Amino acid sequence: MADEAPNPTSFTPATISLDELLSPKSPTFADPPPATNSNRDSVAESAASDDDSRFSTVTLSARDSASSIGSAPTSERPDSTSSTLAPSEDSEPRAHKKSASTTTIRSVHNLPFGLKQSDDIANHRGSVDGQHKLQEEFARLQKEKEVVEEGHVETEVIDWDFWGAVMADYEQFASDEPDKLAQAIAKGIPNTLRGMMWQLMAAAKDPELEAAYLKLLKETSPHEKAITRDLGRTFPHHAFFTDGQGIGQENLFNVLKAYSLYDPQVGYCQGLPFVVAILLLNMPDEEAFSLLCRLMHLYDLRGHFLPEMPKLQLRLFQFDRLVEEILPVLHIHFLRQGIKSSMFCSQWFLTMFSYRFPMEVVVRIYDNVLASGIEAIFGFSVALLQKNEDILLGLKFDEILTFLNTRLLDRYKLEPYDNDDTPNYNTNEFVTEATSLRITPFQLDSYSHEYEDLMREANKRAVEMDELRNSNRMLTSQIKKLESDYAQLNTEHVEVLNELVKTRLASEEFESELVRYKLLYAEAMHSNEEGQSFNRRSTSIASMFSMKRGSS
């Protein structure tokens, strides 16, 4: 890293001022960041020559644009008081890298978006037919504008020739006029053309998807009750969504319901209404559904809304690492105060900044995401913290959370026009600062590898814990079985003891009977002996008496 992060432990309040504690305002990463563990070493040794092939062809950083995530700064929504963003005089020329596709963001399967899109176009003619429809819509809109603007003051200046050439063949124009296209996107997509350009950049105009949407509307979704409950919470103060029976809420319900049927694994998740609402403000509901499908599946937004939110967890980790690298002092302050990125940044990523952020800021962020890929959200997130770093360093836990939720854009506020209480923001400055941050594909890839290693270790521990739990469960079952066997044996032992006691009692009764019988027998024998003795005496006396009578 070009600018070394200061060591916070070496600072002393007596000698270092608050301004000196702030992180560098223009961090650069011309070289890969220094590795801090074995994983970073392995990443540093790998070739990074294909980094630029996985990100946008619309490169909004003029310096080494091929190795950075391009983010196209576009103008805030024009009104009677707003002006388009002109390139700064001291900025270097911006380049629109030549490519065979509209954008090159990373897909779900880690393939370049352009290759994935080419496969889709090869397999389905819907994208080509959709481009033709967009061109027809552009021509119709141009004619309508020419009729309406006759005799009226133009509120929005549109270079119809230029944007017509872009609409005619986006890929060819990006290849032939990269610098011109990059400058036009930097100045801002006109409000009138924004919806069409979003669909063009994402190749989202698909008649087949629109037909599928109409069919899905006839079905019933199990999420309808949850969707209906959240409708009133989505931009409740916006005129398009204010009326509970209005077309805005009806279209919002229809798109959310159709997508819940189209992608049952995602179904419905809070945060989706805000993403869809921004699309509906710029295009009809069937086109919004098609673009939502592209955002979810090709721009990898779907991982934010899956049950375990795997991509959201990954991007929160990448955001933490970016803050640690770019704003090290603020990172340490957040750690000491117990502030986690999930407390504030998950809301930004889930809704793509459409919750609590002004509409003119949100559409500019969408411009960059659709032009550069979902990774563009990192630049806007870090830029917000960098702009308010000095304030955040002086706040405590509760104050930090309140500031992040309510006052984060205060430094971009402009003076109100004609005593108008509606806040105005310098969106051009915000977008310029966000897109000027050097966040390279190498950084995000290395952070992704770190996260995968952490998850692998966590999963290994989880597997070990599961094995221990299963082993514990088996041992507990065995213990319960042994306890049951022991209880059964104890019961049987008690029964045997009872039988033994009964047997002993019966034996004692038998013995007493035997003794009684022996006594009776002895008495009988004694009586018998006495009778025999008496008989012998009687016989002897009788014989003696007979002898005496005979002698006489």
Side-chain angles (χ1 to χ4, degrees):
M1 190 170 69
D3 297 324
E4 289 189 3
N7 183 5
T9 58
S10 65
F11 293 155
T12 57
T15 59
I16 303 298
S17 65
L18 181 61
D19 291 337
E20 292 173 312
L21 286 174
L22 299 183
S23 303
K25 292 301 180 183
S26 300
T28 58
F29 297 92
D31 297 321
T36 57
N37 52 33
S38 59
N39 175 63
R40 294 193 195 181
D41 293 337
S42 63
V43 173
E45 293 171 0
S46 64
S49 60
D50 60 338
D51 286 339
D52 57 336
S53 66
R54 288 169 291 182
F55 290 84
S56 174
T57 58
V58 184
T59 313
L60 299 185
S61 177
R63 299 173 297 276
D64 299 332
S65 60
S67 63
S68 64
I69 299 178
S71 301
T74 54
S75 69
E76 56 187 310
R77 300 191 64 167
D79 52 30
S80 58
T81 58
S82 64
S83 59
T84 57
L85 174 62
S88 58
E89 296 179 357
D90 57 347
S91 62
E92 302 177 23
R94 302 179 185 275
H96 189 93
K97 187 175 176 61
K98 180 177 179 180
S99 174
S101 62
T102 56
T103 56
T104 41
I105 63 169
R106 302 183 67 176
S107 70
V108 178
H109 305 290
N110 293 326
L111 293 174
F113 173 73
L115 297 179
K116 183 72 175 176
Q117 179 179 311
S118 300
D119 293 340
D120 292 340
I121 295 174
N123 296 329
H124 305 287
R125 293 295 299 173
S127 296
V128 176
D129 297 339
Q131 280 191 341
H132 292 161
K133 289 190 175 183
L134 285 175
Q135 293 167 8
E136 293 173 0
E137 177 65 18
F138 177 86
R140 183 191 62 79
L141 187 61
Q142 182 179 3
K143 290 181 180 179
E144 289 181 358
K145 280 287 183 180
E146 290 175 352
V147 173
V148 171
E149 290 174 356
E150 288 182 0
H152 294 78
V153 178
E154 294 183 358
T155 58
E156 184 179 24
V157 178
I158 302 176
D159 188 346
W160 291 100
D161 293 335
F162 171 81
W163 292 109
V166 174
M167 295 292 298
D169 193 338
Y170 181 83
E171 294 182 8
Q172 188 63 40
F173 192 93
S175 177
D176 296 341
E177 302 285 349
D179 296 333
K180 193 173 182 180
L181 180 58
Q183 291 175 4
I185 294 178
K187 292 179 180 179
I189 301 174
N191 262 359
T192 306
L193 307 179
R194 177 167 275 122
M196 286 186 287
M197 279 300 300
W198 283 0
Q199 295 178 73
L200 187 64
M201 290 188 292
K205 184 65 177 177
D206 191 340
E208 292 184 6
L209 270 178
E210 294 177 8
Y213 167 72
L214 296 177
K215 291 181 181 179
L216 291 171
L217 290 182
K218 301 176 182 178
E219 301 180 18
T220 302
S221 170
H223 303 281
E224 290 184 9
K225 186 177 293 185
I227 293 172
T228 304
R229 183 178 61 246
D230 290 340
L231 289 180
R233 307 172 187 172
T234 307
F235 296 127
H237 303 296
H238 196 286
F240 189 64
F241 301 102
T242 299
D243 187 1
Q245 305 298 324
I247 189 66
Q249 288 200 2
E250 180 183 350
N251 288 346
L252 183 59
F253 174 84
N254 288 340
V255 174
L256 292 171
K257 168 192 166 182
Y259 190 82
S260 69
L261 294 167
Y262 178 80
D263 190 355
Q265 191 174 2
V266 170
Y268 171 74
C269 179
Q270 287 185 341
L272 263 180
F274 290 92
V275 176
V276 175
I278 299 299
L279 304 182
L280 288 172
L281 290 172
N282 292 276
M283 63 194 70
D285 56 331
E286 65 274 8
E287 295 178 353
F289 174 78
S290 297
L291 183 52
L292 175 64
C293 294
R294 288 286 182 178
L295 280 171
M296 297 291 277
H297 292 274
L298 293 183
Y299 283 76
D300 209 9
L301 191 62
R302 184 172 181 264
H304 289 187
F305 300 98
L306 288 171
E308 298 298 326
M309 296 183 172
K311 290 296 181 179
L312 178 63
Q313 300 299 329
L314 168 62
R315 285 173 183 136
L316 287 175
F317 177 83
Q318 290 174 318
F319 174 73
D320 287 335
R321 293 289 287 111
L322 286 171
V323 173
E324 182 180 359
E325 292 281 354
I326 300 174
L327 307 170
V329 179
L330 184 62
H331 171 72
I332 293 174
H333 182 64
F334 277 1
L335 288 179
R336 290 174 176 172
Q337 294 299 322
I339 298 294
K340 298 180 179 180
S341 59
S342 58
M343 296 177 179
F344 60 94
C345 197
S346 57
Q347 183 186 92
W348 299 351
F349 291 176
L350 275 175
T351 65
M352 287 176 61
F353 295 89
S354 56
Y355 184 71
R356 287 183 177 171
F357 278 71
M359 194 63 63
E360 64 268 24
V361 174
V362 175
V363 293
R364 293 290 293 276
I365 295 174
Y366 271 66
D367 289 344
N368 281 270
V369 168
L370 288 163
S372 306
I374 193 65
E375 291 82 5
I377 59 178
F378 293 121
F380 291 98
S381 304
V382 175
L384 286 170
L385 297 185
Q386 189 177 59
K387 188 73 171 181
N388 297 279
E389 182 182 15
D390 56 339
I391 299 177
L392 291 168
L393 288 174
L395 301 178
K396 301 299 182 181
F397 179 84
D398 294 335
E399 297 170 332
I400 292 174
L401 292 181
T402 302
F403 184 89
L404 290 172
N405 287 326
T406 59
R407 299 172 49 202
L408 204 56
L409 286 173
D410 285 358
R411 287 204 163 171
Y412 293 104
K413 272 188 178 181
L414 299 173
E415 293 295 328
Y417 299 105
D418 300 329
N419 297 324
D420 186 5
D421 294 335
T422 304
N424 296 297
Y425 298 91
N426 191 345
T427 313
N428 295 333
E429 179 185 354
F430 175 44
V431 173
T432 301
E433 292 177 353
T435 55
S436 65
L437 286 173
R438 295 290 306 282
I439 300 175
T440 66
F442 178 87
Q443 286 177 278
L444 297 179
D445 283 344
S446 64
Y447 301 156
S448 179
H449 284 297
E450 289 181 27
Y451 180 76
E452 289 172 1
D453 287 345
L454 289 174
M455 290 299 100
R456 196 176 297 113
E457 288 297 322
N459 291 336
K460 186 187 298 184
R461 289 194 293 270
V463 170
E464 292 176 355
M465 290 297 295
D466 288 340
E467 291 177 352
L468 290 174
R469 289 192 186 97
N470 291 333
S471 177
N472 185 41
R473 209 174 288 117
M474 293 176 60
L475 292 174
T476 302
S477 177
Q478 292 178 3
I479 290 173
K480 288 182 178 179
K481 186 176 183 301
L482 291 173
E483 289 176 347
S484 176
D485 293 342
Y486 174 76
Q488 185 176 355
L489 290 174
N490 193 33
T491 301
E492 293 176 357
H493 178 68
V494 172
E495 292 176 354
V496 169
L497 286 177
N498 289 335
E499 291 294 329
L500 180 60
V501 170
K502 290 178 181 179
T503 302
R504 286 180 178 177
L505 291 175
S507 176
E508 289 177 358
E509 290 179 0
F510 291 153
E511 288 178 357
S512 61
E513 287 290 323
L514 181 60
V515 170
R516 187 170 66 83
Y517 287 141
K518 286 181 178 180
L519 291 174
L520 291 175
Y521 177 75
E523 290 177 357
M525 292 296 294
H526 182 69
S527 299
N528 186 29
E529 289 177 357
E530 287 181 350
Q532 290 179 357
S533 176
F534 178 75
N535 288 334
R536 284 195 298 270
R537 286 196 298 271
S538 298
T539 302
S540 176
I541 292 173
S543 61
M544 290 178 61
F545 183 72
S546 298
M547 290 177 61
K548 286 181 179 180
R549 288 182 62 182
S551 62
S552 60

